[in-house]
Amino acid sequence: MTIRILLADDQALLRATFRILIDSVEDMTVVSEAADGHEAVDLTAAHHPDVVIMDIRMPNLDGVAATAAICSRPELADTHILILTTFENNENVAKALRAGASGFLGKGVRPDDLLSSIRTVAAGDSLLSPTATRALITRFLAAPDTDGFLALPDAVQALTDREREVTALAAYGKSNAEIAEQLVLSPLTVRSHIQRAMKKLHARDRAQLVVVAYQSGLVKPHQ
């Protein structure tokens, strides 16, 4: 299956570079390009891409607001947002995750890592750059300022003990394979627990599951 991608960045040269790279592999194609946030929202609604590569700083409507607009539309629930930024520790990145982004990468990402990241978020998994994962989540997603946060879900009480355990480990940044090894489960079983937890908590992907885990108090920042 071909991954359909929309590029949203105000730098035409960067969009052209990404298009050449993405179109060079068999399992991806660029379906459209946007030069600002408003175009990104409109073109996403028109093309329903699997992944939007979104610059966090754009004219007219920034990447955070554009992400929130896209992720608020039920008909775009299958579209995943990958944020590109030079500001990996900026609070705007955390706001983008709260708004529904599946993760972020620095603009200096290597070509192979970019392609791998696109495949990761297209599959419904979260992607956070290694330099910022824990610091970003613990500093901003557990902050008292709730602007742009997901609603705290009463549904967290509906999780089974195992689902809570797996969700907590995912919130600490562990992969399915690492969780499976720690809990002596198969990776397939771990994935099933993650998917059931996502469904119960109305999380569109693993990144939002992590957000909910912190916001609901299931995981504490300094545990």
Side-chain angles (χ1 to χ4, degrees):
M1 178 178 135
T2 301
I3 302 172
R4 303 172 69 255
I5 299 157
L6 186 144
L7 301 174
D9 196 297
D10 61 332
Q11 299 180 42
L13 180 59
L14 186 62
R15 295 199 311 271
T17 301
F18 281 176
R19 177 184 277 274
I20 292 171
L21 173 64
I22 291 167
D23 285 344
S24 71
V25 296
E26 293 184 355
D27 62 333
M28 300 182 194
T29 185
V30 175
V31 296
S32 191
E33 298 181 20
D36 64 35
H38 286 302
E39 283 189 356
V41 175
D42 292 343
L43 291 172
T44 298
H47 293 279
H48 289 251
D50 300 303
V51 176
V52 176
I53 299 178
M54 181 86 72
D55 185 12
I56 202 167
R57 300 200 174 208
M58 289 187 292
N60 300 322
L61 188 72
D62 66 27
V64 174
T67 295
I70 291 169
C71 293
S72 67
R73 299 188 180 189
E75 69 272 20
L76 298 178
D78 292 332
T79 294
H80 302 286
I81 312 294
L82 178 58
I83 298 290
L84 279 173
T85 177
T86 56
F87 303 93
E88 288 193 356
N89 292 317
N90 192 296
E91 186 174 1
N92 283 339
V93 176
K95 289 181 178 179
L97 285 174
R98 295 173 192 145
S102 294
F104 71 96
L105 289 170
K107 282 194 172 181
V109 63
R110 295 181 303 179
D112 287 348
D113 289 339
L114 175 62
L115 297 175
S116 175
S117 299
I118 291 170
R119 295 183 180 105
T120 296
V121 298
D125 293 327
S126 64
L127 192 285
L128 299 174
S129 62
T131 58
T133 304
R134 279 299 297 275
L136 180 72
I137 291 173
T138 58
R139 181 177 176 184
F140 296 120
L141 299 187
D145 177 10
T146 58
D147 179 43
F149 274 39
L150 296 169
L152 295 182
D154 293 335
V156 74
Q157 302 301 323
L159 297 181
T160 66
D161 289 342
R162 182 63 87 185
E163 288 166 356
R164 290 188 185 203
E165 192 173 21
V166 170
T167 298
L169 291 172
Y172 292 137
K174 291 184 178 293
S175 67
N176 286 358
E178 291 170 332
I179 296 172
E181 181 177 3
Q182 182 168 336
L183 299 181
V184 195
L185 299 170
S186 73
L188 182 59
T189 299
V190 171
R191 184 174 181 84
S192 295
H193 285 310
I194 291 287
Q195 290 175 338
R196 284 197 293 269
M198 285 168 50
K199 184 176 181 179
K200 289 180 180 180
L201 299 178
H202 306 290
R204 61 188 285 136
D205 57 26
R206 195 184 185 102
Q208 281 201 343
L209 184 66
V210 171
V211 173
V212 172
Y214 279 92
Q215 289 180 247
S216 65
L218 180 63
V219 175
K220 302 296 183 184
H222 303 296
Q223 281 183 325

